[in-house]
Amino acid sequence: MNSITDLKSNTAYTLDSLQTIDEGDRSRIELYADHAVKVAVAILALGMKYLAADAYYSKVKFVSAIIPTGLNIVGSLQWLYEGAYKGSGRSKKYDGKVDFDMDVHRFD
């Protein structure tokens, strides 16, 4: 289901809904991407340019299908780690999820 969120009224309105019917040769993420591409024109016509999606949709098959439509995807937001290397193992990449209530001071 695709919906439009009105942040001022804290309400989501359904834009389009489609029952997923499995196809033998296509994955669910490909079917979801097709649906999002189909409604991208309507989303852009409303003056919106961002598609908020769950972290599940941060897959190459989904993102690579959405980007050519002109929409930008916002998924799970995490802070990049900017601290020093601790000296063992792989370098730390992330510094936790963004919490908009607590982390506003970290934005430029």
Side-chain angles (χ1 to χ4, degrees), residues 15-43:
L15 177 66
D16 189 65
S17 181
L18 178 72
Q19 183 174 357
T20 304
I21 299 174
D22 287 332
E23 296 177 11
D25 59 336
R26 303 193 66 217
S27 68
R28 286 255 173 134
I29 201 73
E30 290 173 311
L31 297 172
Y32 299 153
D34 288 349
H35 184 219
V37 167
K38 183 182 95 175
V39 298
V41 173
I43 294 170

Side-chain angles (χ1 to χ4, degrees), residues 63-80:
V63 174
S64 62
I66 299 302
I67 295 301
T69 67
L71 288 173
N72 298 294
I73 297 177
V74 177
S76 179
L77 300 176
Q78 296 186 16
W79 295 108
L80 292 177

